[in-house]
Amino acid sequence: MPSILFVCTANRFRSVLAEAIFTKKLSYLEDTADWRVESAGTWTENGLCPMREAFIEAEKLGLDISSHRSRNATRDLLAQFDLVLVMEKGHKEALIIEFSELSERIFLLSEVGGGMPESILDPYNDKVSASLVTDEIMHLINKKFKTIYHYLKSIYDNHSQSQLLVNTE
């Protein structure tokens, strides 16, 4: 089954919303019932609920994140996913250094399918509007959904995996 893991720092806002947005987009397609879409954090405590602002933003988008609980991005967890999309350059760097054997599946959300490798700001650490961050995540997922979908689907349809995710737009 195709699988994708979204990663941010605390797994309580950005990656939670990315997971929910991507899952909702998949729900409109017929052949995605067995897809695995989850999220994790690079530096978090397991079992925490999403931040209040994440609930507010999710509600605006008609998403239910009430069952989400934070968890750490461990080697064992990352190894279970075909694609790991992170929110910040520091997340990518840290995960690749710590889990170098998994580096070929770790990308910034902003760079998938082409695009500048840019970090998505954290509404808590960077003091930016939660709705602005949500809009950016929504925009990137909308823009890159087809590329991500076709890449992951090709893995399970036995198509060539030589297609690069970076610089293919």
Side-chain angles (χ1 to χ4, degrees), residues 4-39:
I4 183 170
L5 181 72
F6 291 96
V7 176
C8 69
T9 305
N11 191 214
R12 299 183 66 204
F13 187 87
R14 293 173 293 175
S15 58
V16 177
L17 291 174
E19 173 189 353
I21 292 165
F22 195 87
T23 299
K24 184 174 183 176
K25 289 188 73 65
L26 278 177
S27 74
Y28 296 118
L29 303 176
E30 292 181 16
D31 61 345
T32 59
D34 63 342
W35 282 52
R36 183 176 177 195
V37 181
E38 297 180 23
S39 62

Side-chain angles (χ1 to χ4, degrees), residues 5-161:
L5 181 72
F6 291 96
V7 176
C8 69
T9 305
N11 191 214
R12 299 183 66 204
F13 187 87
R14 293 173 293 175
S15 58
V16 177
L17 291 174
E19 173 189 353
I21 292 165
F22 195 87
T23 299
K24 184 174 183 176
K25 289 188 73 65
L26 278 177
S27 74
Y28 296 118
L29 303 176
E30 292 181 16
D31 61 345
T32 59
D34 63 342
W35 282 52
R36 183 176 177 195
V37 181
E38 297 180 23
S39 62
T42 57
W43 194 57
T44 191
E45 182 180 328
N46 289 328
L48 300 175
C49 293
M51 302 297 282
R52 185 176 78 73
E53 292 84 357
F55 281 109
I56 293 168
E57 294 301 315
E59 186 176 332
K60 289 180 192 175
L61 298 171
L63 304 171
D64 180 8
I65 60 170
S66 61
S67 63
H68 176 80
R69 295 299 175 266
S70 63
R71 64 181 170 168
N72 279 311
T74 64
R75 173 179 276 109
D76 290 341
L77 180 64
L78 269 64
Q80 297 173 35
F81 290 87
D82 302 311
L83 183 60
V84 176
L85 297 180
V86 302
M87 302 294 141
E88 296 179 24
K89 292 176 184 178
H91 299 145
K92 181 179 177 181
E93 182 179 322
L95 292 177
I96 288 175
I97 288 170
E98 191 167 353
F99 314 121
S100 60
E101 72 279 9
L102 303 172
S103 64
E104 73 281 349
R105 62 180 82 178
I106 301 170
F107 297 91
L108 281 157
L109 174 58
S110 63
E111 74 181 336
V112 171
M116 295 298 296
E118 297 179 4
S119 294
I120 297 171
L121 297 177
D122 183 334
Y124 303 100
N125 293 329
D126 299 317
K127 306 284 191 250
V128 294
S129 155
S131 61
L132 182 68
V133 173
T134 303
D135 289 347
E136 183 176 7
I137 293 167
M138 177 75 97
H139 168 75
L140 286 170
I141 290 176
N142 284 335
K143 180 178 179 183
K144 295 164 182 297
F145 182 80
K146 275 187 181 180
T147 300
I148 296 167
Y149 170 80
H150 288 296
Y151 172 75
L152 291 173
K153 191 166 176 355
S154 74
I155 292 172
Y156 290 88
D157 288 346
N158 296 320
H159 290 124
S160 169
Q161 291 185 34

